[in-house]
Amino acid sequence: MMRLAVFASGAGSNFAAICDANVPGVEVALLFCDRPKARVLGLAEERGVPTLCFQPSACATRDEYERAIVDMVEEAQIDVIALAGYMRIIHQPLLDAFAGRIINIHPSLLPSFPGKDAIGQAFEAGVDTTGVTVHFVDSGIDTGPIIAQVPVKMCADRETLEEAVHSAEHELYPKVIEQLAREW
Ligand code: GRF
């Protein structure tokens, strides 16, 4: 079994999709959250996934915060970390401890539209096609080697595009995690 930790800060629809896919060879062993009011915490409790909620304000420095996270994640014997709407940049302590073992999902065809509100950026740009990317995490924002991408056709309004991109995410992320587990 590959022991997976999901890191999330918000709504948690990708977290739920990963759990509900019952990915073969994968145990969702931890939900790490940096925001105590995030909806994702309730989704984890409903699914019986152990949660850790730990805010940066608990630590004096950014590195101290990350070192504390590394200790917690190692204590939980986690193999791979999947970021799913985790609104913090990953820094050296975590990157070193989990080199090549942290992945992220981003709602665009990277390298197009990195950063915040990628769906809105694509909509405003009026591209024909946008999509979803899963990639390994490095010290940049939505950079790092691409693992998989799926295209999504542009929609007439932003809300419909958001729905289409999110449902593509919910299909792609469990598949990529299954692939990683097969190679684990
Ligand atoms: C997703 O669109 C993901 O690609 C991006 O943040 C959003 C998180 O949504 N990184 P949710 O919390 O999984 O519902």
Side-chain angles (χ1 to χ4, degrees):
M1 276 286 176
M2 183 178 94
R3 288 174 63 80
L4 183 77
V6 178
F7 280 34
S9 305
S13 69
N14 281 284
F15 166 77
I18 293 164
C19 290
D20 298 349
N22 287 317
V23 182
V26 174
E27 181 180 349
V28 183
L30 179 67
L31 181 268
F32 179 84
C33 183
D34 60 331
R35 296 183 185 175
K37 290 185 180 155
R39 177 175 167 260
V40 68
L41 286 165
L43 298 179
E45 275 152 29
E46 279 165 28
R47 286 164 177 77
V49 174
T51 61
L52 263 175
C53 184
F54 182 57
Q55 289 179 277
S57 55
C59 298
T61 66
R62 192 184 74 190
D63 273 18
E64 194 186 301
Y65 179 62
E66 270 213 0
R67 282 197 297 272
I69 295 174
V70 169
D71 287 346
M72 293 174 189
V73 173
E74 283 179 344
E75 168 84 27
Q77 298 187 304
I78 296 303
D79 299 311
V80 170
I81 295 173
L83 309 183
Y86 184 63
M87 299 307 284
R88 308 185 63 79
I89 297 168
I90 304 298
H91 298 286
Q92 226 51 51
L94 255 172
L95 289 172
D96 288 344
F98 283 83
R101 295 190 288 146
I102 310 178
I103 60 175
N104 181 42
I105 189 158
H106 183 77
S108 76
L109 293 177
L110 291 171
S112 298
F113 313 122
K116 287 198 177 147
D117 191 23
I119 302 174
Q121 291 184 53
F123 188 76
E124 293 302 325
V127 290
D128 289 337
T129 305
T130 181
V132 173
T133 303
V134 177
H135 63 95
F136 287 108
V137 172
D138 64 13
S139 58
I141 298 176
D142 303 320
T143 53
I146 290 172
I147 304 169
Q149 295 187 299
V150 288
V152 174
K153 278 258 162 250
M154 183 48 74
C155 302
D157 60 86
R158 199 186 146 129
E159 206 172 77
T160 316
L161 181 63
E162 274 175 13
E163 278 170 22
V165 170
H166 290 313
S167 66
E169 290 188 309
H170 301 158
E171 244 184 76
L172 182 65
Y173 218 0
K175 278 192 197 155
V176 170
I177 290 166
E178 182 173 357
Q179 186 61 40
L180 287 180
R182 253 192 244 124
E183 293 161 5
W184 191 248

